[in-house]
């Protein structure tokens, strides 16, 4: 049978982001995420057509997914959206960085007759899970009372790090019936807010999750945490700063570890900042001044759909007023939909961003490059880009996981930071990371002001320590260092590499989440929570660290509390068990 | 809780008490007549042979907000080196010496007997962040000053000479972001920095595209500040900070507003040490301390804080972005810069002050010289511009240096010789006494902040913020026994905050949370102005005006100070 060799890239896609809101066990999710995007040519080489199943094999595992044709040509590159399927074939090793390698992995693809497993089958067959998985609560049935429609304006969208705060939400009968101005992701999150909800607390008894009283579930969770030798508290990027603060206090009292999801997205950005600094600005500066906009290793049209219109290429600024006055460049390993809209697309060979950045630094410093190409890019194109950079009045590079997750990790980011620092000798230039989850930036901020460290924090010695590679969640799990886990607003069972998931399934697991996630379904205690920005308020930080308040628009389902309230109860219970008085 | 502090040597300049042996009584968080105390229930502290003062007040320390937090993240090394452990039920943990995390910031102030601190540079758009951190600083009362020198809405008003509009807007802005006062940093530079320019901008240089100069900005906003009757005078970090020859710039800045007041302080020049340099380059750097002091001694409208440096690693962070860029080229290690749309810019660069370095040694002398040459301790306050010159935990050292010539000589033995030849410090004999120290660190900052009714003194009705130091001024001469004074100042015997004992024998024993002061307008902003602001917002900002406003309940203990109105 034929097989082809490709470079595997995993990441967000628009369809994945939308399907997510309907639940990880939904048909939509299976249909949109258990797929591999292949170039038309590669499909032909495999002798298959779109919709056929293929087996993707790497050094780290294998998975069967459905092949689909990529919209843009990218021969030799296979893209699998982030999720339980991608997790089976990514490289779990963090090389002491805390960050697994999720992009640029060598893979072999072959046609197969084997069926695609759904997430439950993955848990059963790949991870040998014996725990029972509960039937999902039916979608909440809301009796619509007679009420006049009201429209909430200036609503902040709690989906991605763009935190667009100009949404209009139409509410009737205590329920959201329409959303205006939102992108497809935000719209999906808000309109499907009531679907796939957890509506009661649960405790696992004799292998089965059974409904429980909230207080009982909190007592049970507190006992698990207090009895653990070294618990891990993980998640935190999709909740409020107020909740995260309480999570940190809880980890401190337990002497446990605390990590947020930045460890598997922009952890390397933070490590690079620690080494060399950063030159950055808020998005309004870009809107008002930037005449050169570069997106590097990111695909905003899928992951941050309104980014271009609100803040960059298409926005109307004070000094730079329109698309015509801005140059727009994309650097990526494949021609994404964002790349198609750009004035200049630079296709870099996977895992060679560092080389390309170094070449740019050399040119800017006045050195000549003798090679005819670097990182797969013809030298004339690199000179052209360097020229655009130096002649811009105000340039900006937005970069994404294409730089943080590939070979080199934090070294790539150090290189791009230095490039930008050096460009300031010539002109005004800034760098902004494209942060994914709506409050991942806030999670870093509150961790830093509370402990001095932005993520991967250990409290075992009674004071904060930060040693990525040791105290980072993927490593703590893969190494089997922790013996209980509390997950807040995250789904590591779906998104962590294989080995980490295996350990998680062996130890007591507590989940606090508004919705059923894979992690929730296999947990030992499940506590439902309200959705921040819809059902309760709190602060979140935009990707440029601008803090924005999220408001409460509607009531949460009956009996469901906010993360903040739940964590306060849990903290009180833990203090009681540990005999700590005071506040 | 009722407390009676018995027989201490009390230093309370506002009530003209100079080391008299007195009892101080505390009830319900306030100072009361001793007769009001029920001795059966009260906790009695025997302060015999000890010094009793109001709690210390820090007029300028970068302790909270976006810039400080970026500094924390960047200065990993600082956090590996220094930490405080959790004591369950009593205090939280934390790390960092120069950029400490929030909880231990509060503890360290309290351990020195300090009970109020002002964060001096918050960009409005990110002030919600500043408040979130202030909320997490225990024990001390706090407030933040708002960066306004490059705020495009304000510059527009000034450009149009619309002072009334400007006044209304500033009052609205302070209330919207829950700020306490108006801060200018290298006026106008952040406007130019948006195009990568602005380094070395001087008082009379143009701030394009406005037809304004930094002088116009200082003058205009000083007038606005005065006419609004804000509790704190205009707080200015002068142009050309950290550049040889900037003494002239500072003198011009001070003089720019001299005609607006002849008696009361209307302009506060912050961390003046960094702005008191003579010479045309770093090699021929000279001290401008005499010129600055002479001006202050002959003009009553200005006050200063020192911005004293101390030797060792520091983290420089200011809203003076071009300066940090220039410093990055000297220090060559790390540089973090951030611009905030329509408002401000900032930079952070780690730096090391060395005894043997000519410039650093002279900087150290200049700070002390100014404090010693200014005659009126009510108008020169102790700061290190934490963490720019040194961490705030060096205040005890600076207090002691001011009190002891011998201590100064001890330090000078190890300093760069050439710097000492250029400095005036070796020839200065003045030694501050405890009363004057209490003025500089308690009474004067309270008065300057407009908080003198309840802060900075121990009279009846004052907030019960008290520091007790284990030092007997009748037995120990600070000039000779400076080491004992230093030790006593570093760790207060007792710190009492709002009537609660929070520190005993130099250790935190109790965690309370103080208030956050902010300015609130007596009247509402006019519709018309609101409409103008909204229009401007749509043009300049990427957030909705409605989401820019910080609600009172976002602050842990909000304490409005009412301003304005008919
Ligand atoms: Zn300062």
């Amino acid at each position: 049978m034929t097989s082809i060799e490709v470079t595997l890239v995993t990441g967000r896609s628009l369809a994945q982001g939308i399907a997510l809101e309907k639940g990880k066990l939904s048909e939509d999710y299976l249909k949109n995420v258990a797929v591999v995007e292949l170039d038309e040519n590669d499909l032909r080489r495999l002798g298959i057509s779109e919709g056929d199943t293929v087996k993707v094999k790497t050094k780290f595992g294998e998975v069967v997914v459905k092949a689909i044709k990529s919209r843009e040509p990218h021969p030799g590159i296979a893209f699998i959206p982030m999720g339980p399927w991608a997790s089976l074939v990514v490289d779990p090793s963090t090389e002491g960085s805390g960050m697994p390698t999720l992009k640029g992995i060598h893979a072999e693809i072959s046609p197969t007759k084997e069926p695609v497993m759904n997430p439950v089958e993955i848990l059963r067959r790949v991870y040998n899970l014996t725990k029972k998985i509960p039937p999902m609560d039916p979608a909440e049935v809301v009796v619509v009372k007679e009420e006049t429609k009201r429209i909430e304006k200036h609503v902040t969208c709690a989906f991605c790090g763009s935190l667009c705060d100009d949404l209009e939400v139409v509410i009737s009968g205590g329920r959201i019936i329409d959303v205006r101005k939102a992108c497809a992701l935000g719209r999906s999150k808000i309109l499907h807010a009531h679907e796939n909800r957890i509506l009661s607390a649960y405790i696992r008894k004799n292998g089965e999750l059974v409904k429980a009283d909230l207080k009982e579930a909190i007592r049970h969770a507190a006992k698990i945490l207090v009895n653990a030798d070294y618990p891990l508290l993980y998640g935190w990027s999709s909740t409020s700063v107020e909740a995260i603060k309480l999570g940190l206090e809880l980890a401190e009292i337990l002497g446990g570890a605390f990590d947020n999801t930045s460890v598997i997205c922009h952890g390397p950005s933070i490590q690079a900042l620690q080494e060399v600094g950063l030159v950055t600005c808020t998005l309004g500066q870009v809107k008002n001044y930037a005449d050169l906009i570069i997106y590097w290793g990111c695909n905003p049209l899928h992951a941050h759909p309104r980014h271009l219109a609100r803040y960059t290429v298409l926005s109307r600024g004070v000094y730079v007023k329109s698309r015509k006055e801005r140059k727009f460049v994309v650097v990526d390993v494949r021609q994404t939909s964002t790349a198609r809209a750009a004035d200049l697309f630079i296709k870099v060979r996977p895992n060679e961003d560092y080389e390309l950045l170094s070449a740019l630094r050399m040119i800017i410093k006045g050195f000549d490059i003798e090679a005819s190409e670097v990182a797969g890019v013809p030298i004339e194109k690199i000179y052209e880009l360097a020229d655009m950079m130096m002649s811009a009045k105000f340039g900006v590079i937005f970069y994404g996981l294409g730089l943080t997750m590939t070979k080199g990790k934090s070294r790539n980011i150090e290189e791009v930071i230095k490039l930008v620092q050096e460009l300031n000798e010539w002109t005004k230039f800034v760098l902004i990371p494209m942060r994914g989850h709506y409050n991942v930036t806030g999670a870093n901020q509150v961790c830093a002001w509370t402990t001095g460290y932005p993520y991967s924090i250990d409290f075992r010695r009674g004071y904060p320590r930060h040693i990525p590679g040791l105290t980072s969640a993927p490593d703590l799990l893969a190494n089997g260092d922790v013996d209980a886990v509390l997950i807040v607003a995250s789904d590591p069972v779906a998104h962590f590499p294989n080995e980490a998931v295996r350990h998680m399934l062996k130890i007591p697991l507590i989940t606090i989440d508004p919705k059923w996630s894979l992690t929730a379904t296999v947990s030992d205690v499940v506590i439902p929570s309200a959705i921040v920005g819809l059902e309760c308020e709190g602060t979140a930080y935009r990707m440029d660290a601008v803090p924005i308040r999220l408001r409460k628009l509607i009531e949460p389902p009956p009996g469901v509390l906010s993360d903040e309230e739940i964590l306060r109860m849990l903290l009180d219970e833990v203090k009681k068990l540990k005999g700590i008085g005071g506040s | 809780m009722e407390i009676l502090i018995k027989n201490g040597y009390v230093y309370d300049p506002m009530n003209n008490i100079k080391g008299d042996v007195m009892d101080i009584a505390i009830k319900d968080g306030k100072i009361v007549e001793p007769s009001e105390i029920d001795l059966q229930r009260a906790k009695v502290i025997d302060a015999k042979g000890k010094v009793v003062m109001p709690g210390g007040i820090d007029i300028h320390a970068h302790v909270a907000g976006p810039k400080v937090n970026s500094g924390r993240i960047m200065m990993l090394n600082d956090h590996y080196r220094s930490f405080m452990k959790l004591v369950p039920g009593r205090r939280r943990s934390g790390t960092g010496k120069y950029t400490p995390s929030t909880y231990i910031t509060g503890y360290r102030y309290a351990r020195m007997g300090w009970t109020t601190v002002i964060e001096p540079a918050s960009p409005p758009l990110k002030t919600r962040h500043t408040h979130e951190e202030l909320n997490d600083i225990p024990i001390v009362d706090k407030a933040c000053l708002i960066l306004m020198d490059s705020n495009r809405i304000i510059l527009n008003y000034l450009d149009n000479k619309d002072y009334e509009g400007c006044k209304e807007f500033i009052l609205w802005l302070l209330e919207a972001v829950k700020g306490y006062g108006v801060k200018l940093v290298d006026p106008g530079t952040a406007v130019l920095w948006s195009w990568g320019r602005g380094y070395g901008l001087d008082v009379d240089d143009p701030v394009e595209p406005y037809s304004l100069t930094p002088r116009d900005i200082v003058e205009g906003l000083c007038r606005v500040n005065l006419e609004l009757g804000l509790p704190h005078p205009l707080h200015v970090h002068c142009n050309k900070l950290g550049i040889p020859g900037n003494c002239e710039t500072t003198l011009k800045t001070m003089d720019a507003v001299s005609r607006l007041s002849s008696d009361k302080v209307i302009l506060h020049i912050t961390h003046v040490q960094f702005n008191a340099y003579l010479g045309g380059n770093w090699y021929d750097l000279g001290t401008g301390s005499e010129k600055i002091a002479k001006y202050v001694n002959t003009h009553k409208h200005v006050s200063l804080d020192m911005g004293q440096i101390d030797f060792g690693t520091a983290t420089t962070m200011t809203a003076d972005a071009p300066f940090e860029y220039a410093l990055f080229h000297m220090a060559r290690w790390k540089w973090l810069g951030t611009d905030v749309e329509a408002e401000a810019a900032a930079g952070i660069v780690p730096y090391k002050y060395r005894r043997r370095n000519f410039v650093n040694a002279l900087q150290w002398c200049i700070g002390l010289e100014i404090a010693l040459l200014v005659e009126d301790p009510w108008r020169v306050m102790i700061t290190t511009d934490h963490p720019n010159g040194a961490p705030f935990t060096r205040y005890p050292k600076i207090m002691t240096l001011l009190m002891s010539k011998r201590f100064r000589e001890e330090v000078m033995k190890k300093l760069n010789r050439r710097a000492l030849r250029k400095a005036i410090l070796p020839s200065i004999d003045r030694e501050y006494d405890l009363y004057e120290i209490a003025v500089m660190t308690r009474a004067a900052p309270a008065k300057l902040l407009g908080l003198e009714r309840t802060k900075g003194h121990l009279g009846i009705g004052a907030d019960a913020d008290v520091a007790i130091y284990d030092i007997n001024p009748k037995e120990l001469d600070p000039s000779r026994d400076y080491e004992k004074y230093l030790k006593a100042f570093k760790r207060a015997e007792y710190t009492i905050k709002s009537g609660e004992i929070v520190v005993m024998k130099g250790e935190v024993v109790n965690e309370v949370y103080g208030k956050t002061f902010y300015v609130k307008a007596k009247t509402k902003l006019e519709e018309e102005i609101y409409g103008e602001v909204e229009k401007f917002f749509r043009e300049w900002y990427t957030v909705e005006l409605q989401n820019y406003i910080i609600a009172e309940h976002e602050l842990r203990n909000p304490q409005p100070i009412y301003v304005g109105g008919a």
Side-chain angles (χ1 to χ4, degrees):
Chain A
M1 195 183 282
T2 48
S3 77
I4 60 166
E5 297 200 357
V6 293
T7 303
L8 175 66
V9 175
T10 74
R12 279 192 185 285
S13 78
L14 193 61
Q16 168 259 340
I18 294 171
L20 190 65
E21 294 306 324
K22 299 186 183 158
K24 297 228 166 62
L25 300 183
S26 68
E27 273 303 311
D28 264 28
Y29 189 70
L30 184 72
K31 201 174 98 203
N32 286 298
V33 185
V35 297
V36 58
E37 283 181 34
L38 289 169
D39 188 79
E40 199 171 0
N41 255 320
D42 290 336
L43 286 176
R44 206 172 307 132
R45 281 206 290 153
L46 284 166
I48 58 170
S49 43
E50 198 168 17
D52 291 349
T53 51
V54 292
K55 182 174 278 181
V56 181
K57 227 172 166 175
T58 68
K59 227 162 83 187
F60 317 100
E62 56 177 58
V63 68
V64 174
V65 286
K66 212 168 60 187
I68 56 173
K69 192 179 87 183
S70 64
R71 275 190 57 189
E72 300 81 16
H74 51 67
I77 290 178
F79 176 83
I80 306 184
M82 61 189 282
W85 296 274
S87 298
L88 293 176
V89 289
V90 296
D91 180 357
S93 142
T94 78
E95 291 151 6
S97 71
M99 170 71 139
T101 305
L102 306 180
K103 290 181 191 285
I105 305 154
H106 181 83
E108 195 186 296
I109 296 185
S110 53
T112 181
K113 291 272 176 290
E114 286 176 46
V116 176
M117 286 189 279
N118 67 34
V120 176
E121 287 165 337
I122 291 179
L123 288 171
R124 294 257 178 266
R125 292 198 217 142
V126 182
Y127 296 115
N128 303 317
L129 179 84
T130 52
K131 286 177 181 175
K132 288 199 181 110
I133 291 173
M136 305 297 106
D137 292 314
E140 183 195 355
V141 183
V142 180
V143 185
V144 181
K145 287 173 291 188
E146 280 307 313
E147 186 198 317
T148 44
K149 263 200 315 200
R150 76 188 151 96
I151 298 172
E152 291 279 351
K153 290 185 175 177
H154 324 290
V155 172
T156 307
C157 172
F159 189 94
C160 77
S162 294
L163 281 182
C164 306
D165 71 334
D166 61 343
L167 272 52
E168 293 180 7
V169 173
V170 187
I171 297 164
S172 177
R175 180 152 160 202
I176 293 163
I177 57 165
D178 198 11
V179 190
R180 295 169 195 158
K181 297 190 183 176
C183 69
L185 293 170
R187 192 176 163 80
S188 173
K189 170 155 181 169
I190 294 168
L191 287 181
H192 297 292
H194 58 287
E195 289 177 23
N196 191 37
R197 293 295 290 265
I198 309 172
L199 296 173
S200 155
Y202 287 81
I203 299 176
R204 194 171 292 279
K205 288 179 178 159
N206 305 320
E208 200 165 343
L209 265 188
V210 292
K211 285 190 178 171
D213 174 60
L214 176 66
K215 283 195 182 127
E216 191 194 343
I218 287 190
R219 271 198 299 275
H220 199 77
K223 253 185 237 156
I224 289 175
L225 293 171
V226 169
N227 290 336
D229 187 35
Y230 188 40
L232 166 67
L233 282 58
Y234 178 79
W236 311 106
S237 300
S238 297
T239 187
S240 68
V241 162
E242 290 77 1
I244 303 168
K245 228 189 256 191
L246 293 166
L248 282 160
E249 188 174 357
L250 189 59
E252 185 186 45
I253 283 181
L254 292 165
F258 185 100
D259 209 354
N260 56 57
T261 65
S262 64
V263 71
I264 56 162
C265 60
H266 276 279
S269 299
I270 294 162
Q271 287 169 336
L273 187 153
Q274 289 166 341
E275 290 297 321
V276 291
L278 175 69
V279 188
T280 189
C281 68
T282 65
L283 294 166
Q285 283 287 93
V286 173
K287 170 180 96 105
N288 291 333
Y289 292 94
D291 58 349
L292 171 62
I293 287 152
I294 301 172
Y295 286 99
W296 193 311
C298 53
N299 187 10
L301 286 181
H302 276 220
H304 303 85
R306 294 182 72 203
H307 202 267
L308 276 72
R310 259 175 78 80
Y311 308 121
T312 68
V313 183
L314 306 170
S315 67
R316 183 182 166 80
V318 173
Y319 294 105
V320 185
K321 294 200 187 314
S322 67
R323 172 73 180 85
K324 280 204 302 278
E325 294 170 43
R326 304 190 203 257
K327 286 193 181 134
F328 173 24
V329 179
V330 170
V331 184
D332 211 326
V333 296
R334 59 191 183 115
Q335 197 185 30
T336 59
S337 38
T338 310
R340 279 196 308 177
D343 299 326
L344 175 67
F345 169 54
I346 295 202
K347 187 164 179 284
V348 57
R349 231 177 354 241
N351 287 322
E352 292 186 21
D353 299 88
Y354 186 90
E355 285 83 342
L356 182 57
L357 288 163
S358 301
L360 284 165
R361 283 186 68 198
M362 281 179 69
I363 295 169
I364 283 153
K365 285 190 157 182
F367 295 105
D368 283 328
I369 294 174
E370 284 167 16
S372 62
E373 57 136 76
V374 176
V377 185
I379 202 70
E380 309 77 56
K381 258 196 160 175
I382 305 179
Y383 273 94
E384 186 189 345
L385 179 58
D387 219 51
M388 283 169 90
M389 287 172 156
M390 287 189 286
S391 57
K393 283 204 193 94
F394 187 121
V396 55
I397 300 177
F398 291 96
Y399 71 96
L401 305 182
L403 276 188
T404 64
M405 282 181 172
T406 51
K407 198 172 138 197
K409 294 172 188 163
S410 68
R411 298 293 165 194
N412 297 335
I413 315 304
E414 272 180 45
E415 201 65 8
V416 73
I417 294 170
K418 285 182 186 163
L419 170 67
V420 169
Q421 284 174 337
E422 286 159 8
L423 276 164
N424 275 277
E425 308 278 345
W426 290 90
T427 181
K428 178 84 184 178
F429 228 97
V430 293
L431 179 70
I432 301 179
M434 297 288 279
R435 307 299 304 263
H437 291 295
Y438 76 84
N439 197 23
V440 65
T441 307
N444 291 144
Q445 294 288 346
V446 60
C447 285
W449 82 61
T450 308
T451 70
Y453 305 118
Y455 71 108
S456 297
I457 302 147
D458 155 72
F459 288 101
R460 201 164 200 177
R461 294 191 185 165
Y463 63 91
R465 295 189 312 153
H466 164 73
I467 313 165
L470 281 180
T471 61
S472 33
D475 300 279
L476 288 169
L477 288 167
N479 297 336
D481 291 334
V482 289
D483 57 353
V485 182
L486 167 70
I487 302 293
V488 177
S490 182
D491 193 5
V493 170
H495 297 144
F496 267 30
N498 194 327
E499 285 172 40
V501 175
R502 259 175 227 286
H503 183 67
M504 234 182 309
L505 296 178
K506 277 190 245 162
I507 56 176
L509 202 53
I510 304 157
T511 296
I512 303 174
D513 205 304
K515 296 202 169 194
W516 285 107
S517 62
L518 277 198
T519 309
T521 58
V522 300
S523 289
D524 300 287
V525 181
V526 179
I527 299 169
S529 64
I531 298 174
V532 186
L534 293 178
E535 299 163 350
C536 59
E537 66 168 317
T539 298
Y541 285 63
R542 206 164 68 177
M543 60 170 65
D544 55 351
V546 170
I548 299 181
R549 195 72 181 167
L550 306 177
R551 276 182 296 148
K552 175 177 175 170
L553 306 177
I554 53 171
E555 288 299 322
V560 172
L561 304 180
S562 67
D563 290 329
E564 200 183 338
E565 292 164 313
I566 294 162
L567 286 160
R568 197 173 289 285
M569 288 167 75
L570 188 55
L571 189 60
D572 287 344
E573 193 63 29
V574 164
K575 281 183 180 171
K576 212 161 82 189
L577 288 174
K578 296 199 117 199
I580 301 165
S583 52
Chain B
M1 194 179 191
E2 297 184 13
I3 303 172
L4 186 65
I5 305 166
K6 281 182 76 84
N7 294 323
Y9 294 112
V10 176
Y11 291 85
D12 180 5
M14 257 190 249
N15 294 302
N16 209 20
I17 296 166
K18 303 183 177 182
D20 308 359
V21 174
M22 286 176 66
D23 293 351
I24 300 289
I26 294 168
K27 190 179 174 178
D28 300 329
K30 296 280 180 187
I31 307 287
V32 295
E33 291 284 359
S35 61
E36 281 188 43
I37 296 279
D38 176 1
L39 281 172
Q40 303 289 315
R41 289 195 322 203
K43 153 104 187 156
V44 177
I45 295 173
D46 180 11
K48 190 159 180 266
K50 298 185 168 81
V51 166
V52 178
M53 284 185 185
I57 298 172
D58 192 343
I59 193 97
H60 187 116
H62 302 269
V63 290
K67 175 167 65 357
V68 178
N69 216 30
S70 299
R72 290 189 190 104
I73 296 172
M74 187 165 78
M75 300 310 292
L76 195 60
N77 40 338
D78 181 43
H79 294 265
Y80 284 149
R81 258 195 317 236
S82 171
F83 62 83
M84 271 173 94
K85 267 193 171 181
L86 167 78
V87 181
R90 205 198 288 170
R91 70 167 209 214
R92 303 282 303 273
S93 66
T95 62
K97 187 168 157 188
Y98 291 85
T99 49
S101 51
T102 48
Y103 301 114
I104 70 173
T105 298
Y107 306 146
R108 285 183 179 156
Y109 269 111
R111 289 202 307 203
M112 304 191 305
W114 256 247
T115 50
T116 303
V117 55
I118 308 300
E119 157 56 51
S122 188
L125 180 61
K126 290 185 172 179
T127 295
R128 177 172 277 117
H129 177 169
T130 308
H131 282 298
E132 291 204 303
E133 290 198 23
L134 292 177
N135 284 344
D136 280 358
I137 297 181
I139 301 179
V140 292
D141 288 333
K142 47 242 164 176
C144 58
L145 307 182
I146 304 302
L147 286 168
M148 298 201 190
D149 62 86
S150 292
N151 186 301
R152 309 303 197 280
I153 303 182
I154 292 173
L155 294 185
N156 236 10
Y157 280 121
L158 292 180
D159 216 6
N160 296 331
K161 305 227 173 337
D162 180 0
Y163 294 105
E164 287 311 308
C166 191
K167 272 160 68 178
E168 282 218 41
F169 175 71
I170 285 180
L171 198 51
W172 174 85
L173 180 61
L174 284 172
E175 181 175 341
V177 302
K178 307 291 175 277
Y180 192 73
V182 181
K183 170 74 180 297
L184 312 187
V185 170
D186 203 340
T189 350
V191 172
L192 302 173
W193 185 242
S194 290
W195 287 286
R197 295 188 275 119
Y199 181 70
L201 183 78
D202 210 342
V203 184
D204 292 310
D205 294 340
V207 179
E208 284 162 349
Y210 305 92
S211 51
L212 292 168
T213 62
R215 178 191 297 278
D216 299 329
I217 300 173
V218 172
E219 212 186 325
L221 291 183
C222 191
R223 196 176 133 183
V224 164
N225 202 99
L226 190 62
E227 288 178 12
L228 277 174
L230 295 179
H232 181 50
L234 189 68
H235 196 113
V236 179
H237 153 144
C238 293
N239 291 100
K240 291 190 76 172
L241 176 131
I243 300 176
N246 60 16
C247 181
E248 277 310 307
T249 308
T250 309
L251 293 170
K252 280 184 202 163
T253 307
M254 294 193 288
D255 213 44
V257 300
S258 59
R259 61 183 177 82
L260 295 177
S261 163
S262 57
D263 49 351
K264 72 173 197 180
V265 173
I266 55 165
L267 182 71
H268 179 74
I269 302 290
T270 190
H271 41 70
V272 67
Q273 176 277 128
F274 290 107
N275 256 87
Y277 304 149
L278 301 181
N281 56 51
W282 286 114
Y283 183 78
D284 72 13
L285 183 72
T287 173
S289 58
E290 275 182 311
K291 289 190 170 195
I292 301 278
K294 190 176 159 213
Y295 188 91
V296 174
N297 290 338
T298 51
H299 295 80
K300 287 202 157 57
H301 69 279
V302 267
S303 60
L304 310 173
D305 70 75
M306 291 168 72
Q308 179 63 22
I309 69 146
D310 198 12
F311 302 105
T313 314
T315 306
T316 68
M317 51 174 72
T318 88
D320 192 344
F323 166 73
E324 293 288 354
Y325 176 63
L327 189 62
F328 165 61
H329 287 79
M330 286 193 253
R332 275 286 161 212
W333 184 20
K334 310 180 188 183
W335 167 41
L336 196 145
T338 319
D339 300 356
V340 178
E341 63 210 57
E343 293 177 350
I348 308 169
V349 170
Y351 189 78
K352 191 167 179 167
Y353 295 103
R354 295 177 167 88
R355 285 183 179 78
R356 298 293 184 196
N357 175 295
F358 163 68
V359 171
N360 298 159
L362 192 54
Q363 286 178 306
W364 185 84
C365 293
I366 293 172
L368 292 170
E369 286 169 4
I370 294 174
L372 292 162
L373 293 173
V374 169
E375 286 154 13
D376 179 6
W378 288 87
R379 287 193 291 130
V380 56
M381 277 144 269
I382 291 177
T383 65
T384 56
D385 192 19
H386 162 90
N388 286 288
F392 63 81
T393 45
R394 301 285 163 81
Y395 292 172
K397 189 174 172 188
I398 298 166
M399 289 152 77
T400 318
L401 283 164
L402 292 174
M403 296 177 84
S404 167
K405 185 174 190 204
R406 206 175 288 207
F407 187 16
R408 299 198 289 265
E409 282 167 347
E410 207 47 49
V411 177
M412 282 191 280
K413 277 181 192 162
K414 293 186 200 130
L415 295 192
N416 178 289
R417 298 279 118 205
R418 199 163 80 83
L420 289 178
R421 282 199 298 278
K422 287 203 123 183
I424 306 169
L425 190 63
S427 67
I428 299 178
D429 294 329
R430 184 175 178 192
E431 290 179 331
Y432 271 87
D433 63 20
L434 265 176
Y435 177 82
E436 289 171 315
I437 289 290
V439 172
M440 303 175 90
T441 57
R442 274 77 182 165
K447 206 174 145 206
L448 194 67
L449 288 166
L451 292 171
E452 70 273 20
R453 205 175 54 77
T454 56
K455 298 276 170 206
H457 71 103
L458 298 173
I460 307 302
D463 287 351
D465 302 346
V466 187
I468 304 175
Y469 297 109
D470 186 10
I471 194 89
N472 188 328
K474 299 289 181 258
E475 284 173 6
L476 293 168
D477 170 13
S479 180
R480 259 206 349 250
D481 302 308
Y482 59 84
E483 277 174 351
K484 296 214 169 78
Y485 273 81
L486 177 57
K487 187 165 171 268
F489 287 149
K490 273 187 179 169
R491 295 291 188 103
E493 181 73 1
Y494 281 91
T495 304
I496 297 166
K497 174 67 185 54
S498 301
E500 300 279 337
I501 296 174
V502 289
V503 169
M504 264 171 83
K505 294 211 172 306
E507 283 304 333
V508 173
V509 292
N510 184 11
E511 189 180 67
V512 298
Y513 278 87
K515 301 182 271 281
T516 302
F517 296 105
Y518 77 94
V519 161
K520 193 168 180 165
K522 281 185 190 142
T523 52
K524 283 244 171 303
L525 194 63
E526 275 176 46
E527 289 272 332
E528 190 186 324
I529 299 223
Y530 196 85
E532 268 176 46
V533 172
E534 210 171 16
K535 189 171 149 270
F536 208 95
F537 244 79
R538 269 196 298 275
E539 206 182 331
W540 276 89
Y541 285 87
T542 52
V543 299
E544 304 280 293
L545 176 60
Q546 291 74 8
N547 291 325
Y548 184 82
I549 297 168
I550 300 169
E552 197 169 50
H553 76 268
E554 294 182 48
L555 276 57
R556 192 193 276 257
N557 289 322
Q559 181 67 57
I561 304 283
Y562 288 91
V563 166

